[in-house]
């Protein structure tokens, strides 16, 4: 390809000149091409790899040089001699004569450089290649990556690093290529090439270790191997990128969230010093945004724009706090360098003024930001203040425009008539009006899912509960003191979302939040207040949409409603139950991936006690989607991940107890119940809400700290436990004894304590002392360390779940196939890999449709036809030649039993098992069935009777009532038409049948028959018409193209097809005879074979013979009823020469000139006889009188047909075909080869080659 001219000082170093003229030189890299260059060539190749030279991917180049200059310019490079020769010849024809006109060498150089740059620009324009930020060096790396590993353009390279890969005890210096879906390594050392390709989805462990030999190494583990890399220039950056890419793969396995490149990244400046790829910048930006959102509890779609060092004036302490300012699309945030000293969140929707103040030596580059609640924040020491103010102003303008737009929508909805009355109630956030309207609409429903007879709760349940019995709940002195402390705090630090959050805030939270302020502060600390403020009316809209809807999630919700804090009076009436139902159902409709999970009801019921209904909904959103990620999905992955993290923390912080807990197996039991419900299900209610207070302020680290504190407090008792039951009893009693003496609530006995025995009471444990102890002993646990542990455990948990799925699938189908368990597991891995590959390299169907983790195991991974076609070519023994795709399409439709254009693993294995391990009859039955399918799928026409017969066989309705209705409709078809719909008739028929008591026994008998295993009879198979028979012949001829006994199989096929043609012709005569009118004379102008009157037709070879089955051998055949069947044979050696011959036993057996070029008779007359020329790839049906080719629709005989018995009997006459179809297929070599081709782009050539090209998973 042409390249932008680059100066070359040493033109002949490590290059060999092959062609030259006065201006241009064509060179080849030493060590490439013929001979390899010996030792020098090996050294050059090694240097190219180690030094990342572009010559490795482009070993040919063209240089430009003026006669009197020593400076050369590279103007073209190529990966092959053919490519570079084309460029050379073009220059000789188009440039040499033009250059001779110039007199000045500088003019020649300018002209050549301009010409080359113009060619490149024209090529980019014609091919729609857009300019990007990737450097030329990185573009060269992309070309190397694709060439070395056979990756398509869809596989995006993120970055590449120099490192060493340890193969045994020998390090191989080379390059690691990190793409979105693969980790690749390439090394070339003195003639030995090493390649490694690992799919990120196959990695089970990724860790950075230190050894005696090397200070730092990266170990990558898969299910079957470990790979060690060392000698990185920047191991921290490399490992962080590898973690990100592995996380993306795990997310794809978990819920099909693939990677989509961010197209909105700002372009780099021309003088930018960073030379990283666009994708690397994208991933870095994602990682920073994720940390930013986690630090300030911001919505999931918030993206960080930038951050800068600054100082913040804190009026409460009268000092400038050093920290960092973060600016994003909707927020300005600040955090101090010193942890927990001060943090601040300013939503742009609250900002009124942003202005630059006067600079001074004491306060350089100050900036003031004012908010609606009359708070002003002063930042100083901003390095690029003008640019920062401009960015904030731009974001502020976008926010203001959005707010105005929302107000216009609300105003227009409120001003319109009753058409928009319901929508206005949703947007304006008046849930009572919207709920009453929907209540009237659904008033007829007896089963009220959402309790719409009760209005949406606009107050907290705790407040309504207090009003009922005010005398019991007078606030105590401690509660009043807490409220006063928080009021003083608000006065000093501000109130609301813009409040200064300091160490004083943490101290107040640890002492307990007053019950009257709990809902407000939960919203504030969790960040739910931001999502609620930016989505007005969203909850009411969800409630309205979910009314009357019924699915699996709502069914589970209904079952668990009365199990949610049943001991609390607020949930012993319809008010609390209805609110809980609405919140849970609304969230199930918001997030169908989660829907509903047990334990959500317990947490939500507590949220409803202290927050209004809509506030509780947004708190639940923050909990499920941000603070406890993946906790409440169908497989509780997040809880299992944190269970692994808890085990690691137990080993690090309570090492003397770790081995004992592992032996007893207690950690896995306690952690799920503790974490999923935030201790609400194991502690007294009034104590557990204090834990929830700390959780919303500090996050998940509080739960880990508290769990460790509980274990530490019972360490001596747990060490003396003999079994897990005793340990669980000790921990249960301890948690039951945790009390909150400051609570104003009446003592509510915990359910666990009610069910426990009446043993000695456990000493009371104060909840505030327990929490303080957890901070003192385990407060050093950092949130970033927890995230690092979570990544490690997430790999393990998700891969364990994938292995469980694989084992369950294999266990479910192993008895139905002839494959071994190992073969099925390998096939499953390949099947899943094909699905994953299509997800990130494109596919015809949606990935979320093919993989749904909530489905049964067998249905979780499904592939469409394009994917099946690729696997068919690699694994199925009948895939040969150009006809392979057509055969794959026919088999795919046969396997797709439910007609959704997707097949699951069981259906896939069923087809492969039949081809590989079934007996002769089953294989032939499969071959027959895939050709007798109804034809609309293949855009072909066929005989209507044959099509109806095949449709009845393959797609018959199993409902007995439908069969009766169809019969009834057919009998009355002349009297009434309903455009094909029989809904009314179905209902009437069912009513009539139910009125007759005798019909019940009839249906029971039919149901019992359906329950019995139905054996398929070969007599039930539909007939094969002539067009389908031609397709079958084409399949057979292509099937043997790569077999060692190819010629013998061709001869046998020709004999069988000729025999079947004659059988079909004979059968046609009976059809014609049956429809002839009585008394009409039959004119027969054909020559016939003479047979004895009572002698059936026999076709045989050697000792094996068969008679024409069914009614044909019972009929008396006369000479006037048979037609002459001719077979014109044209062998490959003597193409075009045909000889007419009569078919008989001896002639069929002794004919040695049979080949794949045969003539198929389609009629009795000479003029109607059809030739099938070259049935291998492009079959053309022509008439003998040299007329134009006929289409399939008008060239086939509609009365011609054969049955499966005839097809089977004919096959048994040829031993070569019998041996071929009786041969058992070995699938493991095909699986190994398929893996290598899929990952490396080439088949396996040797065992050593496969060993070095490691394929994981």
């Amino acid at each position: 390809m042409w390249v932008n001219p680059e100066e070359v000082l040493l033109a002949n170093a490590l290059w060999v000149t092959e062609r030259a003229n006065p201006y241009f030189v064509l060179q080849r890299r030493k060590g490439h091409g013929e001979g390899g260059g010996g030792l020098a060539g090996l050294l050059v190749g090694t240097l190219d790899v180690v030094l990342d030279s572009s010559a490795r991917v482009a070993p040919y180049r063209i240089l430009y040089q003026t006669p009197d200059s020593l400076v050369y310019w590279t103007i073209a490079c190529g990966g092959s001699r053919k490519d570079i020769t084309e460029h050379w010849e073009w220059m000789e024809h188009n440039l040499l004569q033009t250059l001779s006109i110039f007199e000045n060498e500088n003019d020649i150089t300018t002209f050549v450089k301009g010409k080359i740059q113009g060619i490149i620009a024209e090529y980019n324009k014609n091919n729609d290649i857009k300019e990007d930020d990737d450097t030329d060096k990185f573009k060269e790396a992309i070309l190397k990556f694709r060439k070395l590993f056979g990756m398509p353009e869809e596989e995006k390279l993120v970055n590449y690093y120099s490192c060493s890969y340890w193969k045994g005890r020998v390090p191989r210096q080379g390059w690691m290529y990190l793409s979105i879906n693969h980790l690749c390594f390439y090394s070339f050392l003195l003639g030995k090439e090493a390649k490694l390709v690992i799919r990120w989805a196959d990695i089970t462990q990724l860790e950075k270790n230190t050894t005696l030999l090397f200070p730092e190494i990266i170990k990558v583990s898969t299910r079957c191997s470990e790979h060690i890399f060392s000698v990185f220039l920047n191991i921290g950056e490399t490992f962080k990128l590898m973690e990100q890419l592995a996380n993306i793969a795990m997310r794809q396995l978990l819920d099909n969230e693939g990677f989509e490149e961010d197209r909105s990244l700002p372009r780099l400046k021309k003088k930018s010093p960073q030379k990283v790829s666009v994708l690397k910048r994208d991933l870095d930006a994602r990682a920073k945004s994720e940390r930013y959102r986690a630090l300030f509890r911001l919505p999931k779609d918030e993206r960080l724009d930038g951050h800068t060092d600054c100082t913040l004036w804190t009026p409460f302490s009268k000092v400038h706090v050093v920290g960092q300012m973060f600016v994003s699309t909707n927020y300005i945030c600040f955090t101090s360098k010193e942890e927990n000293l001060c943090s601040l969140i300013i939503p742009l929707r609250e900002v009124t003024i942003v202005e630059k103040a006067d600079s001074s030596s004491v306060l350089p580059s100050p900036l003031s930001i004012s908010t609606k609640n009359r708070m002003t924040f002063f930042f100083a020491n901003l390095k690029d203040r003008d640019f920062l103010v401009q960015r904030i102003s731009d974001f502020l303008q976008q926010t203001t425009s959005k707010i105005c737009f929302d107000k216009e929508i609300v105003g227009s909805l409120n001003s319109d008539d009753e058409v928009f009355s319901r929508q206005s109630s949703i947007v304006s956030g008046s849930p009572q009006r919207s709920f009453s309207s929907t209540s009237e609409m659904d008033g007829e429903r007896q089963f009220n899912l959402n309790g719409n007879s009760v209005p949406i709760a606009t107050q907290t349940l705790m407040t309504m509960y207090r009003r009922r019995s005010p005398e019991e709940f007078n606030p105590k002195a401690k509660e009043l003191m807490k409220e006063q402390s928080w009021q003083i705090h608000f006065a000093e630090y501000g109130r609301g979302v813009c409040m200064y959050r300091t160490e004083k805030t943490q101290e107040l939270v640890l002492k307990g939040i007053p019950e009257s302020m709990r809902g407000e502060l939960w919203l504030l600390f969790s960040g739910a207040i931001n999502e609620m403020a930016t989505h007005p009316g969203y909850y009411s809209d969800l409630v309205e949409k979910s009314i009357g809807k019924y699915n699996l999630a709502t069914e589970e919700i209904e079952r668990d409603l009365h199990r949610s804090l049943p001991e609390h009076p607020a949930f012993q009436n319809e008010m609390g139950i209805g609110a809980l139902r609405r919140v849970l159902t609304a969230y199930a409709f918001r997030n169908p991936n989660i829907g509903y999970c047990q334990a959500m009801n317990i947490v939500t019921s507590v949220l409803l006690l202290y927050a209004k209904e809509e506030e509780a909904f947004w708190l639940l959103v923050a909990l499920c989607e941000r603070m406890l990620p993946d906790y409440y999905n169908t497989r509780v992955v997040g809880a299992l991940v944190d269970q692994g993290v808890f085990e690691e923390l137990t080993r690090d912080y309570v090492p003397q107890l770790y081995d004992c807990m592992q032996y007893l197996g207690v950690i896995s039991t306690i952690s799920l119940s503790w974490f999923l419900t935030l201790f609400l299900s194991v502690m007294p209610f009034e104590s557990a809400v204090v834990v929830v207070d700390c959780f919303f302020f500090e996050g998940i680290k509080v739960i880990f700290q508290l769990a460790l504190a509980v274990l530490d407090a019972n360490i001596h008792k747990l060490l003396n436990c003999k079994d897990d039951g005793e340990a669980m009893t000790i921990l249960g009693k301890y948690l039951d004894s945790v009390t909150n003496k400051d609570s104003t609530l009446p003592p509510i006995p915990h359910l666990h304590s009610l069910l426990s025995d009446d043993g000695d009471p456990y000493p009371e444990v104060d909840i505030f002392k327990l929490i303080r102890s957890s901070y003192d002993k385990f407060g050093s646990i950092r949130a970033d360390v927890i995230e690092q542990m979570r990544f490690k455990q997430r790999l393990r948990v998700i891969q364990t779940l994938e292995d469980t799925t694989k084992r369950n699938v294999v266990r479910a189908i192993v008895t139905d196939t002839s494959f071994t368990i190992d073969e099925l597991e390998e096939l499953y891995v390949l099947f899943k890999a094909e699905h994953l590959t299509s997800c990130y390299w494109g596919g015809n169907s949606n990935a979320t449709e093919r993989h749904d983790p909530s489905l049964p195991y067998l249905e979780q991974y499904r592939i469409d036809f394009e994917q099946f076609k690729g696997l068919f070519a690699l694994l199925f023994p009948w895939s040969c030649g150009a006809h392979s795709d057509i055969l794959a399409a026919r088999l795919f439709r046969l396997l797709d039993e439910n007609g959704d254009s997707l097949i699951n693993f069981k259906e896939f294995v069923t087809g492969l098992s039949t081809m590989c391990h079934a007996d002769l009859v089953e294989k032939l039955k499969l071959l027959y069935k895939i050709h007798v399918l109804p034809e609309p799928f293949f855009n072909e026409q066929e005989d209507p009777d044959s099509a109806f017969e095949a449709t009845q066989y393959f797609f018959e309705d199993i409902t007995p009532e439908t069969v009766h209705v169809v019969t009834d409709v057919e009998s009355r078809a002349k009297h009434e038409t309903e455009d094909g719909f029989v809904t009314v008739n179905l209902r009437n028929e069912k009513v009539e049948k139910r009125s007759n008591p005798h019909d019940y026994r009839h249906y029971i008998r039919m149901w019992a028959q359906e329950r019995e295993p139905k054996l398929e009879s070969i007599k039930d198979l539909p007939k094969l018409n002539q067009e389908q028979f031609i397709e079958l012949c084409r399949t057979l001829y292509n099937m043997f193209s790569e077999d060692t006994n190819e010629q013998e199989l061709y001869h046998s096929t020709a004999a069988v097809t000729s025999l079947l043609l004659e059988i079909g012709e004979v059968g046609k005569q009976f059809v014609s005879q049956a429809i002839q009118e009585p008394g009409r004379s039959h004119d027969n102008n054909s020559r016939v074979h003479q047979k004895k009157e009572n002698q059936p037709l026999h076709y045989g070879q050697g000792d094996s013979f068969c008679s024409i089955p069914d009614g044909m051998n019972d009929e008396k055949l006369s000479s006037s009823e048979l037609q002459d069947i001719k077979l014109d044979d044209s062998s490959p050696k003597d193409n075009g020469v045909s000889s007419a011959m009569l078919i008989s036993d001896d002639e069929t057996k002794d004919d040695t000139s049979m080949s794949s070029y045969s003539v198929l008779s389609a009629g009795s007359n000479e003029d109607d006889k059809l030739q099938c020329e070259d049935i291998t790839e492009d079959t053309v049906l022509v008439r003998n009188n040299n007329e134009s080719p006929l289409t399939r629709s008008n060239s086939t005989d509609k009365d011609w047909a054969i049955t499966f018995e005839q097809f089977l009997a004919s096959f048994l006459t040829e031993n070569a075909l019998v041996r071929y179809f009786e041969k058992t297929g070995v699938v493991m070599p095909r699986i190994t080869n398929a893996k290598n081709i899929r990952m490396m782009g080439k088949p396996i050539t040797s065992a050593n080659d496969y060993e070095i090209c490691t394929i994981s998973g």
Side-chain angles (χ1 to χ4, degrees), residues 892-1165:
F892 181 84
R893 191 179 179 214
L894 179 67
L895 298 176
D896 182 17
E897 296 178 357
N898 57 0
D900 61 351
S901 299
L902 296 169
I903 64 172
N904 60 33
F905 182 64
K906 182 178 181 180
E907 294 166 340
F908 172 80
V909 169
T910 300
L912 181 59
S913 178
T914 303
M915 285 192 185
C916 292
H917 298 295
D919 57 24
L920 173 66
V921 176
E922 290 299 320
K923 288 182 180 178
L924 293 179
K925 190 188 297 183
L926 177 65
L927 182 65
Y928 184 90
K929 284 162 67 174
I930 62 179
H931 288 88
V932 81
L933 281 172
E935 294 296 327
F937 184 70
F938 308 104
N939 297 321
E940 299 175 0
Q941 298 182 3
E942 66 169 322
D943 183 14
D945 294 335
S946 177
F948 176 75
E949 185 180 359
T951 305
Q952 286 291 99
Y953 175 79
F954 287 103
F955 307 108
E956 61 181 355
D957 193 339
I958 63 172
T959 307
E961 297 155 345
T962 308
V963 178
H964 287 277
V965 172
V966 170
T967 307
D968 183 61
V969 170
E970 288 176 353
S971 65
R972 294 177 293 176
K974 296 181 180 180
H975 303 286
E976 55 178 303
T977 58
E978 294 292 338
D979 296 330
F981 295 98
V982 293
T983 308
V984 176
N985 293 337
L986 265 171
R987 290 177 180 173
N988 294 338
E989 194 73 19
K990 289 179 180 179
V991 172
E992 293 174 5
K993 289 173 181 176
R994 287 172 182 169
S995 63
N996 187 354
H998 297 289
D999 284 342
Y1000 282 110
R1001 292 192 294 271
H1002 169 72
Y1003 285 122
I1004 290 174
R1005 285 194 300 270
M1006 294 194 66
W1007 176 76
Q1009 292 175 1
E1010 290 176 2
R1011 296 274 297 178
E1012 296 176 358
K1014 185 177 179 181
L1015 297 177
E1016 185 181 62
S1017 173
I1018 60 176
K1019 293 183 179 295
D1020 298 332
L1021 291 171
K1023 292 182 179 180
L1024 192 75
N1025 65 26
Q1026 192 176 72
E1027 188 172 355
Q1028 294 166 342
F1029 175 70
I1030 292 173
E1031 290 297 322
L1032 178 61
C1033 295
R1034 182 182 297 162
T1035 298
L1036 288 172
Y1037 281 113
N1038 282 274
M1039 190 183 297
F1040 311 136
S1041 61
E1042 298 178 5
D1043 196 271
T1044 54
N1045 300 320
E1046 180 179 353
Q1047 287 302 315
E1048 183 182 3
L1049 289 168
Y1050 281 155
H1051 296 160
S1052 299
T1053 303
V1056 169
T1057 53
S1058 302
L1059 177 57
L1060 288 171
L1061 277 171
E1062 184 172 356
I1063 293 173
E1065 290 295 332
V1066 173
K1068 188 180 70 171
Q1069 299 307 309
F1070 294 102
V1071 176
S1072 302
Q1073 195 176 40
I1075 63 174
Q1076 282 183 352
E1077 295 180 5
R1080 182 176 177 179
S1081 62
H1082 179 69
D1083 184 16
N1084 186 1
N1085 298 322
S1086 303
R1087 293 177 290 115
V1088 296
H1089 296 291
Q1090 297 294 332
K1091 295 285 181 180
K1092 293 185 179 180
E1093 189 170 333
N1094 294 325
Q1095 179 182 350
L1097 287 173
H1098 290 278
Y1099 293 87
Q1101 182 171 352
D1103 295 331
S1104 63
F1105 78 96
C1106 61
S1107 60
I1108 302 299
D1110 285 349
M1112 293 183 64
N1113 57 356
D1114 296 330
E1115 299 288 342
K1116 295 181 179 180
L1117 304 178
S1118 63
S1119 60
S1120 62
E1121 293 174 332
L1122 290 177
Q1123 294 179 333
D1124 179 29
I1125 310 299
K1126 292 186 177 182
L1127 176 68
D1128 293 347
D1129 173 64
S1130 175
S1131 65
K1133 297 180 181 179
D1134 190 16
N1135 194 9
V1137 181
S1138 302
S1139 59
M1141 56 192 306
L1142 299 178
I1143 301 300
S1144 67
D1145 300 350
D1146 296 334
E1147 288 173 335
T1148 302
K1149 183 174 68 174
D1150 298 335
D1151 179 22
T1152 57
S1153 62
M1154 286 286 193
S1155 71
S1156 61
Y1157 299 86
S1158 303
V1159 174
L1160 306 181
S1161 175
S1164 58
N1165 296 326

Side-chain angles (χ1 to χ4, degrees), residues 48-49 104 170 175 194 201 215 222 270 379 402 407 450 599 604 651 745 755 834 844 897 901 912 1204 1219 1257:
D48 288 340
V49 172
N104 191 337
V170 180
W175 291 86
T222 64
K270 293 293 184 180
F379 298 91
K402 183 179 178 182
K407 287 183 178 179
N450 292 299
T604 307
R651 183 187 60 203
L745 297 175
L755 299 176
E834 187 68 25
N844 291 338
E897 296 178 357
S901 299
L912 181 59
F1204 175 72
R1219 287 194 302 270

Side-chain angles (χ1 to χ4, degrees), residues 66-273:
T66 53
D68 298 331
S69 174
L70 296 177
V71 178
Y72 290 79
W73 299 83
T74 304
I75 59 174
C77 63
S80 65
R81 188 182 299 274
K82 179 182 177 182
D83 294 339
I84 206 70
T85 302
E86 290 178 358
H87 288 62
W88 178 267
E89 292 175 351
W90 183 89
M91 287 190 305
E92 285 185 331
H93 289 90
N94 296 279
L95 283 183
L96 281 181
Q97 294 182 355
T98 306
L99 296 182
S100 61
I101 301 174
F102 292 94
E103 297 181 356
N104 191 337
E105 291 184 358
N106 292 333
D107 294 340
I108 296 176
T109 301
T110 303
F111 174 78
V112 171
K113 292 169 66 175
K115 186 70 174 177
I116 299 301
Q117 291 170 349
I119 293 173
I120 295 172
E122 184 68 21
Y123 176 82
N124 292 343
K125 180 180 178 182
N126 294 337
N127 292 274
D128 196 25
I129 299 176
K130 298 179 181 179
E131 183 181 0
D132 54 33
D133 290 332
D134 288 340
T135 62
D136 293 337
K137 189 70 175 175
F138 190 79
K139 291 176 182 177
E140 287 181 6
I142 294 175
L143 291 176
K144 293 179 195 173
F145 170 68
R146 291 175 183 165
K147 181 179 179 180
L148 291 172
F149 305 104
M151 296 292 180
E153 292 187 3
E154 291 82 3
E155 183 67 7
K156 303 295 185 183
L157 180 65
V158 180
N159 213 349
Y160 63 107
Y161 301 94
S162 174
C163 68
S164 291
Y165 168 60
W166 287 83
K167 184 70 176 177
R169 296 184 178 181
V170 180
R172 296 175 181 266
Q173 183 66 29
W175 291 86
M176 175 189 287
Y177 295 85
L178 304 181
S179 67
I180 291 297
N181 304 293
H182 296 90
L183 182 157
C184 305
F185 177 83
Y186 178 79
S187 172
F188 182 86
L189 184 63
L190 298 178
K192 289 188 177 182
E193 190 178 61
K195 288 184 183 180
L196 176 71
V197 178
I198 304 174
R199 205 183 273 108
W200 290 116
D202 294 331
I203 292 178
T204 58
Q205 193 172 10
L206 184 66
E207 53 186 345
K208 185 169 62 173
N209 292 332
T210 301
T211 64
L212 294 176
L213 186 59
F214 291 99
E216 288 180 319
I217 63 169
I218 293 178
K219 184 168 75 171
V220 179
S221 302
T222 64
R223 291 178 177 84
C224 57
S225 58
E226 290 185 353
H227 309 279
I228 297 176
F229 301 90
S230 62
V231 196
F232 289 91
L233 296 178
N234 190 342
I235 192 170
E237 176 189 331
T238 307
F239 186 71
K240 190 177 296 183
L241 180 58
M242 293 170 74
E243 281 186 326
Q244 278 185 279
L245 295 171
N247 248 332
I248 292 173
M250 293 304 106
R251 180 58 54 188
Q252 188 175 18
L253 286 176
L254 185 60
D255 52 17
N256 269 324
E257 286 188 10
F259 177 82
E260 292 185 7
E261 186 177 350
D262 186 0
R263 302 290 182 181
S264 62
L265 280 177
R267 294 182 60 85
L268 287 176
K269 298 178 182 179
K270 293 293 184 180
K271 297 182 180 179
S272 176

Side-chain angles (χ1 to χ4, degrees), residues 406-420:
D406 291 341
K407 287 183 178 179
E408 289 178 5
I409 292 178
V410 174
S412 63
L413 291 173
N414 287 330
S415 63
D416 282 338
D417 295 333
E418 49 185 315
V419 178
F420 294 103

Side-chain angles (χ1 to χ4, degrees), residues 40-76:
L42 294 178
L43 292 174
V44 172
T46 303
L47 286 174
D48 288 340
V49 172
V50 173
L51 300 178
D52 192 29
S53 170
S54 60
R56 187 66 190 169
V57 70
Y60 296 93
R61 70 179 182 180
I62 298 176
L63 303 179
Y64 159 75
Q65 181 206 27
T66 53
D68 298 331
S69 174
L70 296 177
V71 178
Y72 290 79
W73 299 83
T74 304
I75 59 174

